[in-house]
């Protein structure tokens, strides 16, 4: 769904997916070899599934290939990082990634109308289609210096960890599976998607599930997002609503027209009211004014001021309450300013534009996709942690499709900052990929060789 479309239009596709979701559960049970008692299986069943994957010759070959080709992974991280991908302008990087997907041996490699690039790794049949995605876009505007700087095992550049490393990790996993002759029942759709960050508002994944070629086939979704050791499983999608609110008035000279209503005073009144709202700690609910602007000169009453704000919650109900409070206080602030000063040249009005709408929800911790990921983490010597965040997984989660977001491996920091960095030390780098690969193969119905 594009930003200009109604959220209701996107949500309207949910009923049409209900029948498919029932069959998805059954297909997932087959893929994992768990049968009809999927929901009742103990944790050790998932551990056994992962153990079988990890002990296989094919998986061990794949790990050896990943180890051998780690320098290539680093080279591809650098190559992709140095191709700018600012919001809504991911085309240059998408074009390069499309060719890299094709060179990796996938079939049906293509770019959709929203700008997502993708390709299939075909399975033997009988398993549900699994989508694995990393996002192409970064938060950094056009003109940002994206040259990678290297100091020993540390690479620094805007966007290198969020989410460029993940794009390269997907390529490395595909090549390793192919060379190791790893077979799965499921087809696996690998995606480099657009529009995850900021005002991109998950537009790539919204299109994928709302209008895309595979929208009625994807049964499970894994987002690989950010550097990290691989122990964290994001199973909850934090919902958000973002607005640009523009206050308008007649404007005038600061001295000659003194006494007229002012959009600046109306906006400041609204901001003060907004800042005093009370929200719960649990479910975690937050709000913030992030950007403000307006006016023409220091000696003018502005004819227009604006602010952009963000509201988030783990709970759809709490987010709705916060949204309703916002609408009420904006109306109050406008009315108060119109009563406080002269409206002889015109009154204050407020234009409210929705610029971001991300649904919330969660994939239950006891669901198969989460349990398998947790078993994979344990098998690699880690302790799984469970978190909520706002990622591409929000969309499938909101549709009832099992989805999680996982780390791409390694270590990193300063995401969304100009000095963003990742470590390419081989051991932690490969450990995260190992966890993600074992998880994917178990879910895809791995046929060991």
């Amino acid at each position: 769904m594009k930003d200009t479309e109604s959220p209701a239009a996107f949500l309207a596709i949910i009923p049409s997916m209900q029948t498919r979701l029932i069959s998805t559960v059954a297909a997932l049970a087959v893929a994992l070899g768990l049968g009809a008692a999927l929901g009742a299986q103990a944790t050790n069943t998932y551990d056994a599934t992962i153990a079988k994957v990890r002990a296989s010759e094919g998986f061990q070959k794949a790990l050896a290939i990943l180890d051998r080709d780690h320098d290539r992974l680093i080279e591809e991280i650098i190559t992709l990082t140095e191709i700018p991908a600012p919001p809504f302008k991911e085309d240059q990087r998408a074009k390069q990634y499309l060719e890299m997907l094709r060179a990796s041996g996938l079939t049906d490699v293509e770019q959709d109308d929203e700008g997502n690039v993708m390709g299939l790794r075909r399975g033997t049949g009988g398993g549900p289609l699994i989508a694995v995605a990393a996002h192409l876009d970064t938060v950094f505007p056009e003109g940002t210096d994206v040259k990678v700087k290297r100091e020993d095992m540390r690479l620094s550049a805007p966007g290198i960890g969020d989410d460029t490393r993940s794009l390269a990790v997907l390529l490395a996993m595909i090549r390793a599976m192919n060379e190791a002759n790893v077979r799965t029942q499921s087809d696996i759709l690998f995606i480099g998607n657009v529009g995850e960050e900021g005002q991109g508002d998950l537009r790539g994944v919204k299109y994928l599930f709302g209008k895309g070629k595979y929208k009625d086939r994807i049964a499970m979704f894994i987002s690989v997002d950010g550097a990290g050791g691989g122990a964290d499983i994001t199973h909850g999608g934090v919902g958000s609503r973002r607005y640009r609110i523009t206050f308008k008035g007649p404007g005038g000279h600061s001295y000659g027209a003194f006494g007229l209503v002012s959009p600046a005073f109306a906006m400041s009144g609204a901001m003060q009211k907004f800042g005093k709202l009370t929200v719960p700690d649990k479910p975690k609910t937050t709000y913030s004014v992030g950007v403000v602007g307006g006016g023409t000169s220091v000696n003018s009453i502005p004819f227009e001021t604006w602010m952009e704000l963000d509201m988030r919650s783990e709970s759809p109900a709490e987010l709705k309450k916060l949204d309703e409070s916002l609408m009420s206080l904006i109306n109050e602030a406008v009315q108060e300013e119109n009563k406080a000063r002269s409206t002889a040249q015109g009154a204050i009005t407020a234009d409210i534009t929705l610029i971001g709408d991300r649904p919330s929800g969660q994939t239950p911790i006891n669901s198969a996709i989460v349990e398998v990921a947790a078993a994979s983490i344990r098998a690699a010597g880690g302790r799984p942690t469970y978190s909520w965040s706002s990622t591409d997984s929000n969309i499938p989660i909101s549709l009832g499709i099992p989805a999680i977001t996982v780390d791409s491996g390694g270590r990193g920091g300063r995401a969304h900052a100009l000095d963003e960095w990742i470590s390419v030390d081989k051991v932690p780098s490969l450990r995260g990929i190992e966890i993600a690969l074992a998880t994917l193969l178990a879910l895809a119905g791995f046929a060991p060789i």
Side-chain angles (χ1 to χ4, degrees):
M1 180 185 73
K2 295 184 179 179
D3 294 343
T4 54
E5 294 176 328
S6 165
F10 174 68
L11 295 176
I13 70 175
I14 296 176
S16 67
M17 306 179 91
Q18 290 176 339
T19 300
R20 179 167 65 87
L21 293 177
I22 294 172
S23 63
T24 295
V25 174
L28 180 55
V30 172
L32 293 174
L34 303 179
L38 175 63
Q41 294 302 306
T43 297
N44 60 6
T45 301
Y46 298 101
D47 289 333
T49 300
I50 288 293
K52 185 177 180 181
V53 169
R54 290 177 59 88
S56 69
E57 181 183 351
F59 183 76
Q60 291 301 316
K61 283 184 178 179
L63 292 187
I65 293 163
L66 288 166
D67 182 274
R68 182 197 69 196
D69 292 348
H70 192 254
D71 286 345
R72 180 175 179 179
L73 170 68
I74 297 171
E75 291 171 4
E76 290 179 336
I77 292 171
I78 295 171
T79 296
L80 288 166
T81 299
E82 293 183 346
I83 302 173
F88 298 96
K89 295 183 179 180
E90 306 98 331
D91 289 352
Q92 187 180 356
R93 183 180 286 190
K95 181 179 179 180
Q96 176 65 38
Y97 199 61
L98 183 74
E99 294 308 313
M100 295 169 92
L101 288 174
R102 184 174 284 120
S104 72
L106 299 183
T107 63
D108 300 272
V109 177
E110 60 188 308
Q111 184 170 26
D112 67 24
D113 289 342
E114 193 65 33
N116 303 311
V117 294
M118 65 200 75
L120 273 178
R121 186 174 192 273
R122 294 196 176 276
T124 59
L129 176 64
I130 301 174
V132 184
H135 64 85
L136 293 160
D137 59 317
T138 72
V139 299
F140 300 96
E142 196 170 15
T144 301
D145 182 3
V146 291
K147 183 70 175 177
V148 176
K149 301 175 180 63
R150 180 163 188 170
E151 296 181 7
D152 297 324
M153 291 292 101
R154 183 172 175 136
L155 304 182
S156 301
I160 194 165
D162 185 12
D163 189 27
T164 315
R165 175 186 156 90
S166 300
L167 292 166
V169 164
L170 296 194
L171 296 172
M173 289 170 61
I174 296 165
R175 290 192 298 264
M177 286 190 287
N178 288 346
E179 187 176 339
N181 194 30
V182 168
R183 296 169 295 163
T184 60
Q185 290 179 318
S186 292
D187 290 350
I188 304 173
L189 181 67
F190 288 92
I191 307 162
N193 63 278
V194 298
E196 193 273 345
E197 298 285 10
Q199 290 192 26
D201 200 34
L202 310 184
R203 65 187 177 91
V205 176
K206 284 179 177 178
Y207 185 90
L208 185 74
F209 284 95
K211 295 182 179 179
K213 174 180 177 180
Y214 299 97
K215 68 182 181 68
D216 293 323
R217 289 187 54 201
I218 299 172
M220 285 180 281
F221 181 86
I222 300 173
S223 171
V224 185
D225 197 345
D232 188 65
I233 305 167
T234 299
H235 71 103
V238 176
S240 66
R241 288 179 75 80
R242 295 168 176 170
Y243 288 98
R244 182 184 177 104
I245 303 169
T246 305
F247 296 82
K248 298 181 179 181
H253 195 282
S254 63
Y255 186 80
F258 180 72
L260 294 182
V261 288
S262 170
F265 293 147
M267 186 172 81
S268 65
M271 291 175 68
Q272 288 188 51
K273 293 175 183 291
F274 189 54
K276 293 177 181 178
L277 290 177
T278 301
V279 293
D281 293 328
K282 292 184 179 181
K284 186 174 181 179
T285 303
T286 66
Y287 57 83
S288 174
V289 175
V291 187
V292 297
T296 55
S297 69
V298 69
N299 60 333
S300 297
I301 299 170
F303 61 86
E304 180 178 294
T305 60
W306 54 268
M307 62 179 177
E308 293 180 351
L309 55 86
D310 170 272
M311 303 181 296
R312 303 187 185 210
S313 182
E314 297 173 357
S315 163
E318 289 297 334
L319 186 58
K320 184 174 184 291
K321 285 170 57 178
L322 186 56
D323 192 277
E324 291 170 349
S325 296
L326 173 68
M327 297 303 129
S328 177
L329 67 85
I330 291 170
N331 183 58
E332 290 174 6
V334 167
Q335 290 183 7
E336 288 173 3
E337 178 61 15
N338 284 333
K339 289 179 181 178
R341 272 166 275 274
S342 173
T343 58
Q345 298 297 319
I348 296 295
T349 61
D351 290 344
I352 302 171
T353 303
L354 183 67
I355 60 174
D357 187 12
R358 301 186 180 204
S360 59
Q362 65 174 309
T363 300
I365 288 180
N366 63 355
S367 65
I369 190 171
V370 178
E371 290 275 23
V372 168
S376 184
I377 292 165
R378 288 191 294 270
R383 176 179 296 178
T385 58
Y386 306 92
S387 65
W388 287 66
S389 188
S390 180
T391 72
D392 281 317
S393 291
N394 281 45
I395 300 304
I397 286 173
S398 73
L399 298 171
I401 296 170
I404 55 174
T405 297
V406 299
D407 300 328
S408 68
R411 297 188 299 270
R414 299 287 293 158
H416 292 198
L418 292 174
D419 58 345
E420 185 173 348
W421 65 273
I422 62 170
S423 169
V424 290
D425 181 62
K426 184 184 282 191
V427 173
S429 177
L430 292 178
R431 184 177 301 278
I433 304 172
E434 172 187 342
I435 291 168
L437 181 59
T439 300
L440 176 59
L441 293 181
L443 293 170
F446 178 44
I449 60 171

